[in-house]
């Protein structure tokens, strides 16, 4: 009795451990429910180490545990769920290096308790296959596009058309996740959830499904899902900008810029908590930034946008064929046994074994290595089945002989392809390492190019400083020109008033009167009083000509000419800056080509 009581108390502590740790993070101070929900689910994902399991590994685990052949409404007990989670995390530890191993037992216990608390709150000890697939596919790592494609394969029919009843079932299951982290009032399931996501009841294909769920903004009930992926992408993004509220000299994660207050920026912690200072208000519109761009890049981007040279933005996802994707022939990919497979689980596997190319091999060598290990494992399984097939009845000997012969030929072909791919991977890795580790001999091969590159960078810095000085001068000049226009207007009014009061007064008398003119001086706040000719010392010839006559002429055209000249100077400077950037890029490209040529020789 004492042992049973200790086990039950330990189980209760394990069930509450994850939620107690989540409460200790104090996520409830975040004022926006969308960010609050995404932060809580991201914490659960990282605490259970689900962010280390890719969606493709999750699909493979579903198939290895026989879930592909089960109906979506079939129920599994907690013990089998624990077995599935054990296979997922033990396979994960095999893929991870020895220095990054995880605590498998702790991860299994935390995730198992979270799933049970989310989907078996009444304590029946069972949950449906579809609920487990939806939860694990949503909370695991990987790209959101791959997750949505897999989810669509689970809720569509054989013609590739979404079944609204299955999508409604998916919403019921996936919206239990916000409810589990105490955000049910904001993102709980309602009967109008499907109509909110797809207001027009029509034929929904894969591209339409992706357009709706990856739109900006996404449907209100699932707005936390893409935000959780964006949080994972910006966790290590650095912004060298000072927060306008907490005065932190740098920001990590998101950066928020006010669209009304000039230069007012907040870190994600201050924005999430609703902090504001000075004239800024929480009602102002804020723009979210997930990356940092230098001022030079911003200027180039703005100029290119103003000139209409901006490239057309890429679509949020690739366009897939309208026809339904046929189940892949598993004889050439993963599972070679002649068993009945769930078509929906094999729709998406086609993108896991692409034709090896140089770029894809360099980008994801670990995934290709994993595929080769998977092929080898299934080949070994086939060999074991072939050895067991000799015990079959004599009536099936001919059939088994033909099947075994085809399987042996297929194994030989796969082994040959595997060896070729491994050799290509090794060769490309060596080339990549040699190219990414320049030696001092390579750097000294062409000192002329290095010297020219340094000169171009120095020239670029000088042009940027000159541009900043010109912008400041332009601003001061425009202020002075506006003051001159205002004073000129006042003088004309005085002359007209004097002419109306004393008709015999001469115009030369009004022209010789003193007139205060603000000129550019080093001492701020001093405004000397001189004649117009004295005040315009150091100003452009167009402005001097405007005051050289007894009666002032129209100064508007002269001011426009001066502004155009300043604008032309700025444009020429920007063009020169772009030419310097192009020269730097060309020099760097020449250096890289020279290195590659030297390596090939």
């Amino acid at each position: 009795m004492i042992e049973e009581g200790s086990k039950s108390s330990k189980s209760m502590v394990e069930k509450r451990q994850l939620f107690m740790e989540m409460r200790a993070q104090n996520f409830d101070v975040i004022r926006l429910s969308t960010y609050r929900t995404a932060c809580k689910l991201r914490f659960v994902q990282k605490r259970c180490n689900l962010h280390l399991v890719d969606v493709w590994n999750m699909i493979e685990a579903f198939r290895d545990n026989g879930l592909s052949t089960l109906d979506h409404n079939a129920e599994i007990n907690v013990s089998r769920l624990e077995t599935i989670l054990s296979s997922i995390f033990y396979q994960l530890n095999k893929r991870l290096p020895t220095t990054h191993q995880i605590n498998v037992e702790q991860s299994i216990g935390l995730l198992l308790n979270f799933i049970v608390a989310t989907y078996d709150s009444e304590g029946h000890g069972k949950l449906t296959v579809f609920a487990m697939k939806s939860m694990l596919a949503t909370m695991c790592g990987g790209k959101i596009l791959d997750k949505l494609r897999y989810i669509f394969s689970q809720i569509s029919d054989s013609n590739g058309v979404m079944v609204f009843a299955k999508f409604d079932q998916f919403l019921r299951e996936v919206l239990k996740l916000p409810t589990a982290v105490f955000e049910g009032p904001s993102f709980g399931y309602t009967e109008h959830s499907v109509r909110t996501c797809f207001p027009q009841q029509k034929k929904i294909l894969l591209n339409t499904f992706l357009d709706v769920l990856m739109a900006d903004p996404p449907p209100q009930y699932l707005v936390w899902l893409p935000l959780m992926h964006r949080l994972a992408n910006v966790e290590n993004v650095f912004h060298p900008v000072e927060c306008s509220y907490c005065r932190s000299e740098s920001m990590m994660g998101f950066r928020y810029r006010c669209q009304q207050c000039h230069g007012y920026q907040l870190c994600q912690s201050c924005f999430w908590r609703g902090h504001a200072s000075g004239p800024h208000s929480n009602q102002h519109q804020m723009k979210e930034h997930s990356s940092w761009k230098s001022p030079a890049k911003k200027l180039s981007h703005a100029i290119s946008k103003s000139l209409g040279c901006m490239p057309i933005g890429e679509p949020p996802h690739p366009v897939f064929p309208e026809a339904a994707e046929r189940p892949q022939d598993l004889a050439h990919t993963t599972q070679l046994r002649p068993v009945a497979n769930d078509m929906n689980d094999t729709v998406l596997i086609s993108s896991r074994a692409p034709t090896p190319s140089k770029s894809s091999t360099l980008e994801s060598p670990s995934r290709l290595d994993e595929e080769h290990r998977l092929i080898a494992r299934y080949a070994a399984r086939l060999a074991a089945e072939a050895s067991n097939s000799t015990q079959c009845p004599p009536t099936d000997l001919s059939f088994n002989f033909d099947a075994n012969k085809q399987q042996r030929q297929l194994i030989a072909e796969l082994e040959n392809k595997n060896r070729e791919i491994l050799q290509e991977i090794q060769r490309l890795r060596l080339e990549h390492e040699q190219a990414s580790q320049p030696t001092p001999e390579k750097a000294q091969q062409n000192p002329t190019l290095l010297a020219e590159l340094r000169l171009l960078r120095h020239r670029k810095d000088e042009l940027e400083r000159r541009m900043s000085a010109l912008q400041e001068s332009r601003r001061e000049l425009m202020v002075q020109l506006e003051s001159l226009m205002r004073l000129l207007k006042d003088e004309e009014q005085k002359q007209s008033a004097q002419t109306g009061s004393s008709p015999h007064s001469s115009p030369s008398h009004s022209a010789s009167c003193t007139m205060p003119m603000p000129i550019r001086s080093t001492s701020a706040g001093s405004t000397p009083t001189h004649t117009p000719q004295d005040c315009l010392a150091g100003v452009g010839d167009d402005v001097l000509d405007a005051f050289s006559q007894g009666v002032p002429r129209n100064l508007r055209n002269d001011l426009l000419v001066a502004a155009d000249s300043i604008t032309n100077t700025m444009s020429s400077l920007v063009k020169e800056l772009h030419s310097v950037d192009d020269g730097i890029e060309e020099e760097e490209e020449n250096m890289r080509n020279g290195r590659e040529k030297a390596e090939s020789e």
Side-chain angles (χ1 to χ4, degrees):
M1 295 294 292
I2 298 176
E3 292 180 358
E4 292 179 358
S6 62
K7 288 183 180 179
S8 61
S9 61
K10 182 180 179 181
S11 177
M12 291 296 295
V13 171
E14 290 179 350
K15 288 182 179 180
R16 296 178 180 177
Q17 179 182 355
L18 184 63
F19 295 101
M20 292 172 64
E21 293 179 0
M22 184 177 65
R23 287 183 181 276
Q25 299 295 321
N26 201 18
F27 290 122
D28 290 331
V29 300
I30 301 176
R31 63 188 182 95
L32 300 177
S33 60
T34 303
Y35 287 94
R36 191 167 59 244
T37 305
C39 288
K40 289 180 179 180
L41 292 177
R42 175 63 178 168
F43 172 79
V44 174
Q45 183 190 49
K46 294 181 67 175
R47 188 66 182 86
C48 298
N49 290 315
L50 275 176
H51 66 295
L52 301 176
V53 184
D54 191 79
V55 62
W56 301 112
N57 303 129
M58 194 64 71
I59 297 173
E60 178 186 348
F62 293 159
R63 299 179 43 163
D64 289 344
N65 288 276
L67 298 180
S68 301
T69 58
L70 296 178
D71 186 76
H72 283 174
N73 296 322
E75 293 183 342
I76 58 175
N77 53 26
V78 177
S79 60
R80 184 172 182 184
L81 174 61
E82 186 176 3
T83 303
I84 296 171
L85 298 182
S86 301
S87 67
I88 291 173
F89 286 111
Y90 278 112
Q91 289 295 328
L92 172 63
N93 252 358
K94 292 180 181 179
R95 294 190 297 268
L96 293 176
T98 55
T99 56
H100 294 76
Q101 297 288 302
I102 65 171
N103 189 339
V104 176
E105 297 298 331
Q106 185 182 25
S107 300
I108 294 172
L110 290 175
L111 183 56
L112 180 64
N113 291 323
F114 179 75
I115 295 176
V116 171
T118 303
Y119 293 98
D120 188 29
S121 58
E122 298 180 358
H124 296 301
K126 294 183 179 180
L127 69 158
T128 63
V129 173
F130 185 71
M132 191 195 65
K133 283 185 177 182
S134 302
M135 183 272 172
L136 293 177
T138 303
M139 293 294 293
C140 68
K143 298 180 180 179
I144 187 173
L145 175 63
D146 298 334
K147 292 183 180 182
L148 294 177
R149 288 187 63 197
Y150 175 73
I151 290 170
F152 184 81
S153 70
Q154 299 294 300
I155 61 175
S156 59
D157 57 14
S158 59
N159 296 322
V161 180
M162 188 188 77
V163 180
F164 281 90
K166 291 184 177 180
F167 179 71
D168 182 75
Q169 184 181 3
F170 166 72
L171 286 181
R172 289 176 184 269
E173 304 300 341
V174 78
L175 290 180
K176 290 179 182 179
L177 293 173
T179 304
V181 293
F182 314 107
E183 297 296 334
S186 300
F187 299 104
Y189 173 81
T190 62
E191 297 179 355
H192 306 287
S193 300
V194 178
R195 295 181 181 178
T196 304
C197 297
F198 298 98
Q200 299 178 357
Q201 300 289 333
K202 58 182 181 180
K203 184 178 180 181
I204 305 298
L205 300 176
L206 175 59
N207 292 317
T208 308
F209 180 79
L210 296 176
D211 289 339
V212 173
L213 269 67
M214 297 184 67
D216 188 17
Q220 180 62 30
Y221 288 93
L222 297 174
V223 68
W224 51 269
L225 180 58
L227 179 58
M228 186 176 68
H229 288 78
R230 295 207 310 272
L231 282 174
N233 294 331
V234 302
E235 284 181 348
N236 299 320
V237 174
F238 175 77
H239 304 272
V241 182
E242 181 183 6
C243 178
S244 300
Y245 182 83
C246 65
R247 298 302 176 185
S248 176
E249 296 181 357
S250 61
M251 303 181 189
M252 294 293 292
F254 286 120
R255 174 171 55 92
Y256 297 90
R257 186 183 185 92
C258 182
Q259 302 298 296
Q260 299 183 24
C261 304
H262 177 69
Y264 194 90
Q265 301 188 79
L266 292 176
C267 62
Q268 67 177 19
S269 178
C270 294
F271 175 74
W272 289 353
R273 286 157 176 78
H275 293 162
S277 60
H280 178 71
S281 171
N282 290 330
Q283 304 301 323
H284 290 181
Q285 185 179 3
M286 303 290 286
K287 185 176 181 181
E288 183 181 273
H289 295 273
S290 58
S291 61
W292 165 255
K293 292 183 180 179
S294 62
K297 290 184 179 179
K298 287 182 180 179
L299 179 61
S300 176
H301 179 83
I303 293 174
S304 300
K305 187 176 180 180
S306 63
L307 296 177
C309 301
M310 290 296 296
I312 300 175
E314 297 182 356
H317 65 84
V319 179
F320 297 96
E322 292 295 338
E325 293 182 271
R326 292 178 298 177
Q328 190 179 1
D329 184 7
L330 301 180
H332 297 284
T333 53
T334 54
Q335 191 169 355
L336 302 178
R337 293 179 298 172
V339 298
N341 294 288
D342 184 9
M343 180 190 65
N344 293 332
D345 282 343
T346 62
V347 170
L348 302 179
I349 308 299
S350 59
S351 61
R352 295 196 58 197
T355 302
S357 61
K358 293 186 178 180
S359 60
S360 62
T361 306
L362 288 176
E363 289 175 359
S364 57
S366 60
R367 177 172 290 183
L368 288 177
D369 293 342
E370 179 186 349
E371 292 173 0
H372 302 324
R373 290 194 297 268
L374 186 63
I375 293 173
R377 186 165 69 247
Y378 283 125
R381 185 183 298 175
L382 272 179
E385 291 180 358
S387 62
N388 295 330
S389 63
T390 57
Q391 302 176 1
C392 296
T395 55
D396 297 336
L397 287 178
S398 59
F399 175 76
N400 291 334
F401 178 77
D402 295 337
N404 292 336
K405 183 178 179 181
Q406 295 177 358
Q407 291 174 357
R408 286 194 297 269
Q409 293 177 354
L410 185 57
I411 291 172
E413 294 177 0
L414 289 175
E415 289 178 350
N416 293 331
K417 291 181 180 180
N418 191 18
R419 284 193 294 268
E420 294 175 0
I421 293 174
L422 289 176
Q423 293 175 359
E424 183 70 13
I425 290 174
Q426 188 65 24
R427 185 181 66 81
L428 291 174
R429 280 181 177 173
L430 293 175
E431 292 181 359
H432 183 65
E433 290 176 357
Q434 294 175 358
S436 61
Q437 296 179 358
T439 60
E441 292 78 5
K442 294 180 182 179
Q444 296 176 0
Q445 284 178 0
N446 199 341
T448 305
L449 289 176
L450 293 176
E452 292 180 357
L453 185 60
R454 284 193 293 270
L455 289 175
L456 286 172
R457 293 188 182 278
H458 182 67
R459 177 61 176 167
K460 179 183 177 182
D461 295 338
E462 290 181 353
L463 288 174
E464 288 180 350
R465 289 193 295 270
R466 183 181 172 191
M467 179 178 292
S468 300
L470 280 176
Q471 288 178 347
E472 185 65 23
S473 301
R474 181 186 181 187
R475 186 183 63 81
E476 295 178 359
L477 182 58
M478 294 304 294
V479 172
Q480 294 175 10
L481 291 176
E482 289 178 0
S483 301
L484 289 174
M485 287 285 291
R486 188 167 54 254
L487 291 173
L488 180 61
K489 184 176 180 181
D490 295 341
E491 184 63 23
E492 290 178 352
Q493 292 178 357
K494 290 180 181 179
Q495 290 180 4
S496 61
Q498 292 177 2
T499 303
S501 60
S502 58
H504 299 287
S505 61
S506 62
S508 60
H509 175 71
S510 62
S512 63
C513 63
T514 60
M515 180 169 42
M517 291 287 181
I519 63 173
R520 185 178 180 181
S521 176
T522 57
S523 60
S526 61
T527 307
T529 303
H530 299 283
T531 60
Q533 288 78 8
D534 296 335
C535 296
L536 294 174
V539 187
D541 295 336
D542 295 329
V543 181
L544 281 174
D545 294 339
F547 291 94
S548 61
Q549 302 175 3
V551 179
R553 62 189 178 91
N554 188 9
L555 191 58
R556 185 179 301 274
N557 293 331
D558 299 324
L559 295 178
L560 292 175
V561 170
D564 290 340
S565 63
I566 295 173
T567 304
N568 293 332
T569 304
M570 290 290 292
S571 301
S572 62
L573 186 59
V574 169
K575 291 179 181 179
E576 190 171 357
L577 180 60
H578 276 292
S579 64
V580 171
D581 288 337
D582 295 338
I584 292 175
E585 294 178 357
E586 185 177 356
E587 293 296 335
E588 292 178 348
E589 184 67 23
N590 293 334
M591 292 181 67
R592 286 196 294 269
N593 294 334
R595 291 174 185 172
E596 294 177 357
K597 184 176 180 181
E599 291 175 359
S600 62
E601 293 177 355

